[in-house]
Amino acid sequence: MLSISNLQASIGDKEILRGLNLEVNPGEVHAIMGPNGAGKSTLASVLAGREDYDVTGGSVTFDGKDLLDMAPEERAAEGIFLAFQYPVEIPGVSTTNFLKTAMNEIRKYRGQDPLDAVQFLKLMKEKMKLVNIDQSLLSRSLNEGFSGGEKKRNEIFQMAMLEPKLAILDETDSGLDIDALRIVADGVNQLRSPERATIVVTHYQRLLDYIVPDFVHVLYKGRIVKSGPKELALELEEKGYDWIKAEAI
Amino acid sequence: MTPSYASYNEFKEQLLAAFRDNEERMNGERKSPLHQIRRTALKQFDQLGFPTIRHEEWKYSSVNGLLKQSFDLDETTTLTMEDLAPLEIPNLDGNIIYFVNGRYHAELSRLISPADQVQILSFAEAIKSDPELIDTHFARYANYQENAFTALNTALASDGIVIRVPANTTVEQPIILRFITDTRTKNITSQPRNLVLVGKNAEVMMAESYRTLGEGASFVNVVTEIVLERDARMQYYKVQNETEKAYHIGTTQVNQADNSHFYSATVTLNGNFVRNNLNIVLNGQQAEAFMYGLYMPNGRQHVDNHTLVDHAMPNSYSNELYKGILDDNSTGVFNGKIFVRPDAQKTNAYQSCKNVVLSSGATMNTKPQLEIFADDVKCSHGTTTGQLNDEALFYMRSRGIPKDEARTLLLYAFSQDVLSQIKIQPIREYLEKVVTQKLTK
């Protein structure tokens, strides 16, 4: 589904990804771990199409298509979803209105008819339960004045609505207490399916107790330096990242 | 046709001559108090002349472009309902009063409120039928001593509207003034003059809408004086959607007594050069004024909003929010002055001006001015000018919303803080539509 080959990316003069390779197949959950500054969030951003980064080499294909050639909105319409580490506050646009616009734009891209108000509300009600999100929150300006937990739940709610093929969770655990973490993780787990792949970017093993990955990759200095089964996360939790750094040199 | 270029002084001379011609045709009225005020105002206009950018109040707004135009002072034209069809505001209901080239147009106008709710007269009629009323109120509020355009209007204004709302009355239907400038055959200038008197504990909603027909140049120099007596409430909207050759200079002067409430929105969608002065004197305790503004210049348009709130008495409140979206090579000006007089203790005055600049060629000049002479007051002001939030754009795009759509959605939301204040629903809907069209262009 997703095939990343020798990906290199920089911001300004600073090289961040230096030849990253990763294969993700439908149904799989991949965890990307690594110390601060390793390039985890850069990877998530480059996949979603953030323009601050320059891709200087390598390739990324998604369902056989050249992902790097697509605008962020095209990537979303092709089925990529990024749950933001810091969801953006958008004054004056309600979550409901925002999502309705997004869904219908994606449907348009796919040649589908727009959802009418009734269909949309029905879908919304159904998905709200997944992350235990309140209707009143959704009619407020998107993320404006939301608590950290509410913002992250809203991200997962949006993911549930948009039903992506590939979900990328960028440090979704940051800033969450254990209860909020559990709600968010439950939501993600309910969305797991044989067709959907997930990339979980995280610094800590904690989240992976709840979202259990099939593969764990350690990112260091812009490359994946170690991959393994879910137990690798526990090992990292126990031993820290220093031994990886030592091995990588 | 008049010559295509008139120099600075030519236009002024033309206006002064118009006054003298008019005066010569007068008989008894020449001695009337009204005419004496006009003479003084004309002298004042003659002395002041048109402002240059050396004038502090006109530093960012040069009227040179206006003075290069030539205008026909003969405003007569024939206009039918069909001509107005493209300018229609859908579903608009209420007292709809048309002015064509500054002249009240009885056939096009529709007055539906009963006379015990509101008395509506054209200014030209009122001069004849109720000279006492005019003598009592005309030019008592808007300052023609210092403002050349107000002086010009005071001297030359021949028509407009006079609205009187009796005490303890709610005017149920809004009053919509539609100023249409018909430039299809010639360049037109007009000097509308409006007077609105809202009695004790009375309530009214009013809107001024400015449109242009045709490809010629227009110059509207309007003055609206509003008096709110004790406990009166007024919603006041000024909407401009004129052409690329429209020059508009307007002053709205509001005088508020105890516990009166004034809510205003000034929306400028199109025009070559637009200057809005909104001056409010809070001349009573517990008087409250709310001022909202939205301007969206593009191309080479210039929009200047000058607001002045004069807190003259204790315990009064003012709150203003102006928002601008500037594109292409347009320029904007916001100058917000707040006076708090020594007597005006416990004043609350808030001011905010927020701007989004969409292109590197657009410029916004903001100048808050607070002059506070009382010590127990709460005042705040803030201005921001920036680009569209890239993070927000990326966030929206990452959810599948194309860049242009995302941009429109963000800017529309930005404009809603102002548009949502407009309580005459057909006008709000009309503005929302035009704003959307302008944003998606």
Side-chain angles (χ1 to χ4, degrees), chain A residues 91-94 97 141, chain B residues 265 267 292-296 321 323-325 408-423 425 427-436 439:
Chain A
V93 180
S94 69
N97 184 19
S141 285
Chain B
V267 180
Y292 292 89
L294 175 69
Y295 39 95
M296 300 176 58
L321 173 64
K323 298 188 107 175
I325 300 170
T408 304
L409 204 57
L410 283 177
L411 291 171
Y412 182 77
F414 180 81
S415 75
Q416 268 297 317
D417 288 344
V418 174
L419 297 184
S420 65
Q421 300 297 328
I422 294 175
K423 307 288 184 245
Q425 199 181 331
I427 292 190
R428 189 181 65 240
E429 285 167 0
Y430 160 78
L431 288 174
E432 287 170 347
K433 197 177 123 217
V434 180
V435 165
T436 306
L439 290 174

Side-chain angles (χ1 to χ4, degrees), chain A residues 50-51 73 82 102 155 158, chain B residues 391 395 397 399-400 403:
Chain A
R50 191 187 285 273
E51 285 163 349
E73 56 269 32
L82 172 65
E155 292 293 286
Q158 291 178 35
Chain B
E391 270 297 295
Y395 187 68
R397 295 177 73 189
R399 297 298 182 253
K403 193 177 183 181

Side-chain angles (χ1 to χ4, degrees), chain B residues 316-370:
Chain B
S316 60
Y317 176 92
S318 68
N319 196 338
E320 77 185 294
L321 173 64
Y322 273 69
K323 298 188 107 175
I325 300 170
L326 296 95
D327 205 352
D328 304 329
N329 294 304
S330 64
T331 47
V333 180
F334 173 79
N335 187 305
K337 210 183 271 187
I338 297 174
F339 277 126
V340 181
R341 306 270 173 195
D343 284 345
Q345 298 295 356
K346 308 276 184 199
T347 285
N348 283 293
Y350 305 101
Q351 182 189 90
S352 171
C353 177
K354 296 179 180 173
N355 301 285
V356 179
V357 174
L358 298 175
S359 110
S360 59
T363 313
M364 182 67 209
N365 302 292
T366 55
K367 188 177 171 194
Q369 281 177 281
L370 272 62

Side-chain angles (χ1 to χ4, degrees), chain A residues 56-74:
Chain A
T56 50
S59 68
V60 180
T61 58
F62 182 65
D63 282 344
K65 293 178 186 161
D66 180 0
L67 190 71
L68 299 175
D69 209 27
M70 296 179 198
E73 56 269 32
E74 291 171 314

Side-chain angles (χ1 to χ4, degrees), chain B residues 32-69:
Chain B
S32 72
L34 171 66
H35 192 66
Q36 294 313 308
I37 293 172
R38 288 187 187 279
R39 284 186 69 106
T40 315
L42 186 84
K43 213 177 282 170
Q44 215 42 42
F45 167 67
D46 191 9
Q47 271 171 24
L48 291 166
F50 287 109
T52 69
I53 53 168
R54 287 191 300 277
H55 191 302
E56 189 57 31
E57 295 290 308
W58 294 87
K59 193 173 169 187
Y60 301 109
S61 296
S62 165
V63 297
N64 284 341
L66 164 67
L67 302 175
K68 277 183 195 153
Q69 302 289 334

